[in-house]
Amino acid sequence: TLLFGGRSADAFFSAGALLLIAGLSLCHALLGNLSRVTITTPGIMAIGIRGAARRRGRSLTTVAVLASGVFIVLAVGAFREDPLAHANERGSGTGGFALYGESTLPVYEAMDGAVAMRFKGGDDASCLNLNRAQQPTFLGVHPEQLASRKAFTFTDGKGGWDQLNQPQPDGAIPAIGDEATTRWGLGKSLGETLAFKDERGNEFRVRIVGVISNSILQGSLIISEKNFIQRFPSVAGSRIFLIDAAPDKTSDLSSKWMSALGDRGLELVPAWKRLAEFQAVESSYIGIFEALGGLGLLLGSAGLGIVVMRNVFERRGELALLLAMGFAPRSVRWLVVSEHWFLVVLGTGIGGISAAVAVLPSVLSPGIHASPVGPVLTLVLLTALGAAWSWLAAWAALRAPLLDALRNE
């Protein structure tokens, strides 16, 4: 915490990297001890695992490449989210709303089952805009409507929509923003203030009193309707709508809204779809890093195959001697597989545990719903691939004539 100024994500990611280094150091010591262990209960697998210490430097390199690749792929891939996974939950990025609506002309009528917001256009402060927003969009809302629904999740776990009605000691207007909006779009954090000008040209200050996680309200600052009217009195009616609907009635409700407000230029989209549009930017970056990490793992896997082939062909005399002593070819192949699969398990284990530590605070943070399916499949696939390389190397070595190798032995 002292080193990273309270940023737990940075601290945990660095801790994961240090754990990766510590794991490789422990692996180096383990391989050294294996070479000195006396096998009291001999078996093919035990002999194979001990054989991993035969070329300690080569074995450690194999483990390090695999562990580093797994660490990068899992640490990045853990942040990929599914917008549909928890779309009906109030604490999700949709706020539990079924539809998000925006009209061209203001709507003055009260609409049942919806949270209506006043809209003052400005710079897009969402992740879809790469530039720093100077005058963001403002939304005016009755805080009680969102508070009664317990919509969205606050990053500090303690914030609430009622904060929009609490006066500030310095007269600043309390505001709530999405995490991407406040941190990246505006370059601010919780508790900081920003200066803006209202429609009369008078300067007013806004204090960020709450930050919500990964939401469909990204790109705007939300203030109370009372403060909104004071600063933008000419903006009448509502133009943004968050609509509640049961999953099986969403289509019918959407048709009724379009029929009633189609002449106002109303556009409705499923709330999860709007959230997915924002997440698409993040997913693109994650995809790039995953592709690079996957390429690294692929090269590491191919390198493992080369190492296995070299080790096996260097030991053809030893394998021929085992066959001559009565070992079945299947047992000899299992000997090779167990030795190199042991290195694969060490590499994936060290990389996987280190990645889990690195992403722990982000995965457990409010509003994040990461799926473990991808990381688990990556580990399973890589482990199976290591076993396949080992088996193919042993099969190729035992297919060749071993008489010359046995004479040399």
Side-chain angles (χ1 to χ4, degrees), residues 182-316:
T182 55
R183 184 175 182 181
W184 305 114
L186 299 173
K188 298 295 181 179
S189 59
L190 184 65
E192 293 192 67
T193 59
L194 302 94
F196 303 105
K197 289 187 177 181
D198 60 19
E199 63 182 35
R200 301 185 183 93
N202 298 323
E203 185 174 283
F204 68 98
R205 300 185 67 80
V206 171
R207 173 168 288 110
I208 299 174
V209 297
V211 179
I212 56 178
S213 300
N214 189 34
S215 75
I216 57 175
L217 298 179
Q218 188 179 141
S220 306
L221 286 178
I222 303 100
I223 60 177
S224 69
E225 186 171 88
K226 177 182 177 182
N227 289 323
F228 186 96
I229 294 174
Q230 288 179 349
R231 294 299 173 179
F232 311 106
S234 66
V235 181
S238 302
R239 287 182 53 194
I240 302 297
F241 305 92
L242 306 179
I243 304 170
D244 280 325
D248 57 340
K249 297 182 179 180
T250 300
S251 180
D252 293 339
L253 187 61
S254 177
S255 299
K256 291 180 181 179
W257 272 72
M258 292 300 297
S259 176
L261 301 176
D263 58 343
R264 313 285 181 90
L266 178 67
E267 181 181 0
L268 291 176
V269 296
W272 69 265
K273 189 173 182 179
R274 176 175 171 83
L275 183 62
E277 291 175 357
F278 291 130
Q279 292 179 350
V281 178
E282 179 181 315
S283 297
S284 297
Y285 284 108
I286 290 176
I288 292 172
F289 282 106
E290 281 186 324
L292 294 175
L295 179 61
L297 276 181
L298 182 61
L299 294 176
S301 175
L304 173 63
I306 294 172
V307 169
V308 172
M309 293 288 287
R310 181 175 178 181
N311 287 344
V312 171
F313 276 93
E314 285 180 353
R315 296 165 54 190
R316 289 182 63 222

Side-chain angles (χ1 to χ4, degrees), residues 81 86 105 120 169 175 207 211-212 228 236 246 297 300 318 320 348 366 394:
E81 299 181 49
H86 302 270
L105 300 177
K120 175 62 174 68
R207 173 168 288 110
V211 179
I212 56 178
F228 186 96
L297 276 181
E318 174 188 335
T348 54

